[in-house]
Amino acid sequence: MKYRILGKDLKVSAVSLGCMGMTHAYGAPSDEKEMIERIHEAFDLGYTMFDTAECYTGTNPDGSTAFNEELVGKALKDIRDRVVIATKCGVFWDVNGKMVRDSSPASIRRSVEGSLTKLRTDHIDLYYQHRIDENVSPEEVAETMKELISEGKITHWGISETNEEYLRRADAVCPVTAIQNRYSMITREYESMFPVLEELNIGLVAFSPLANGFLSGAYTKNDHFTDPLDFRSHMKQYTEEGFDAYSELLKLIHSLAQDRGVSDAAVSLAWMIDRKPYIVPIPGTRKSGRLKENASAADVNLTAEEIEKIDSLLNQL
């Protein structure tokens, strides 16, 4: 595994692990013991940053709540000093399952205490504001994060799904280490922020780097997701029209993967890693084989000609 620096000094694996799907967004949570084993396996493969959030919850078969942070905390407690834990605050689900945003100082402080307990740690390495709260200024959020850093409860902070203006205003109060935005071959609107990230020395942690598995080559137009709790059941790429629209891209990825004897996912992630030295994808999985495939992306070196071919095709989509 290769490593990268986010912001000034946060060293993380070039491919890190998004833990959300183990309990949230992909149907019923998986068996906790099995997911703890999966996280241990990821660490053995070289993954060092593990991403979770306060709101990543699911319902176990017995009706109890599966807290993703508790899962991550249990899995990492014996190797805590050798890993980076990233979690998030400011997003909650109401009784109807609707997202509620609250980034007030009081809310952030309640959340950080709850996360520290669930994660079984005395500090959080990278603490994100999960979504922008229009009722709270970026300066007020940044000032709260600055206080938490001075108190030793967090060591770095970031913002998820931010824009340039909000980022600049927040960073001016307390330097931001990373943003976490949706980014993949088929979701590229945040490339417009690359110049400001380079100017301010801020990393980009890319969530859904495989477009929720679409770029992994594991699915075809014959695959259907009907569980309403599975995010993929609502995504345009997982329709017959979506597969048709990206058919040439999927063929190119598969061809490059076959030439190297690696997975389609590894090529897709390698494209992202090659793009900028401050980009760190956090693909998620519940499967051992996928963990290995994703980790191998750090060692896949696409040629300039291959990257140009991919980019040329992407620019036509």
Side-chain angles (χ1 to χ4, degrees):
M1 180 67 75
K2 296 177 182 176
Y3 298 88
R4 300 198 143 178
I5 301 296
L6 296 175
K8 181 181 178 181
D9 60 5
L10 187 61
K11 184 178 180 180
V12 301
S13 50
V15 178
S16 291
L17 185 63
C19 299
M20 179 188 76
M22 295 177 175
T23 63
H24 180 79
Y26 290 90
S30 287
D31 177 73
E32 181 181 83
K33 181 180 179 181
E34 181 183 351
M35 291 302 97
I36 288 175
E37 291 174 354
R38 198 68 67 246
I39 291 173
H40 289 169
E41 182 179 359
F43 176 74
D44 291 339
L45 287 167
Y47 291 78
T48 61
M49 181 166 67
F50 298 83
D51 184 90
T52 181
E54 179 180 30
C55 70
Y56 294 164
T57 61
T59 303
N60 290 313
D62 64 1
S64 63
T65 300
F67 292 99
N68 200 266
E69 287 183 321
E70 288 188 348
L71 167 68
V72 172
K74 289 178 182 179
L76 299 178
K77 61 184 178 64
D78 293 332
I79 51 173
R80 178 65 187 94
D81 60 340
R82 291 180 281 170
V83 298
V84 168
I85 294 178
T87 192
K88 311 174 194 73
C89 64
V91 166
F92 308 93
W93 307 108
D94 67 15
V95 293
N96 297 313
K98 183 180 179 181
M99 179 188 289
V100 176
R101 305 183 186 196
D102 185 355
S103 290
S104 64
S107 175
I108 292 175
R109 285 192 166 277
R110 283 194 301 271
S111 292
V112 77
E113 295 299 338
S115 292
L116 288 169
T117 298
K118 290 185 181 73
L119 290 165
R120 304 186 181 200
T121 185
D122 62 359
H123 73 281
I124 295 163
D125 302 291
L126 180 54
Y127 198 45
Y128 293 102
Q129 179 188 12
H130 204 157
R131 291 290 186 272
I132 291 173
D133 178 356
E134 295 181 355
N135 296 314
V136 184
S137 73
E139 289 83 4
E140 190 170 12
V141 173
E143 185 60 41
T144 303
M145 296 297 186
K146 186 176 181 179
E147 292 170 0
L148 293 177
I149 290 173
S150 69
E151 295 165 15
K153 293 181 179 179
I154 68 174
T155 60
H156 305 78
W157 85 288
I159 310 169
S160 183
E161 293 281 68
T162 187
N163 57 56
E164 179 177 344
E165 178 188 2
Y166 192 95
L167 179 61
R168 285 188 180 278
R169 289 172 60 184
D171 185 74
V173 175
C174 183
V176 175
T177 293
I179 66 171
Q180 185 178 130
N181 287 11
R182 185 185 297 272
Y183 183 55
S184 71
M185 284 186 181
I186 66 173
T187 308
R188 301 172 61 199
E189 57 264 33
Y190 286 114
E191 289 183 353
S192 63
M193 291 188 65
F194 286 176
V196 70
L197 297 180
E198 291 161 12
E199 175 192 341
L200 301 178
N201 190 25
I202 296 172
L204 169 59
V205 175
F207 76 85
S208 298
L210 295 173
N212 299 88
F214 183 76
L215 298 170
S216 69
Y219 305 101
T220 71
K221 65 175 64 179
N222 296 319
D223 291 297
H224 303 285
F225 301 97
T226 57
D227 186 341
L229 296 178
D230 190 323
F231 279 11
R232 291 169 295 188
S233 65
H234 310 291
M235 293 181 170
K236 292 182 179 180
Q237 67 264 36
Y238 281 108
T239 62
E240 186 171 344
E241 294 79 10
F243 277 102
D244 288 341
Y246 295 108
S247 62
E248 291 303 313
L249 174 62
L250 296 175
K251 288 177 184 177
L252 176 56
I253 293 170
H254 186 64
S255 175
L256 293 173
Q258 283 193 315
D259 289 344
R260 284 175 166 74
V262 299
S263 68
D264 293 22
V267 169
S268 299
L269 295 172
W271 169 85
M272 180 179 297
I273 293 169
D274 283 346
R275 206 151 194 81
K276 295 290 181 180
Y278 50 81
I279 296 178
V280 175
I282 51 168
T285 186
R286 302 183 184 192
K287 299 177 180 178
S288 176
R290 296 296 181 198
L291 270 182
K292 296 173 183 176
E293 291 176 1
N294 295 343
S296 71
D299 297 314
V300 174
N301 296 308
L302 298 173
T303 68
E305 182 180 359
E306 289 168 334
I307 292 174
E308 183 179 355
K309 190 173 182 179
I310 293 171
D311 291 346
S312 177
L313 180 55
L314 291 177
N315 290 336
Q316 297 174 34
L317 297 175

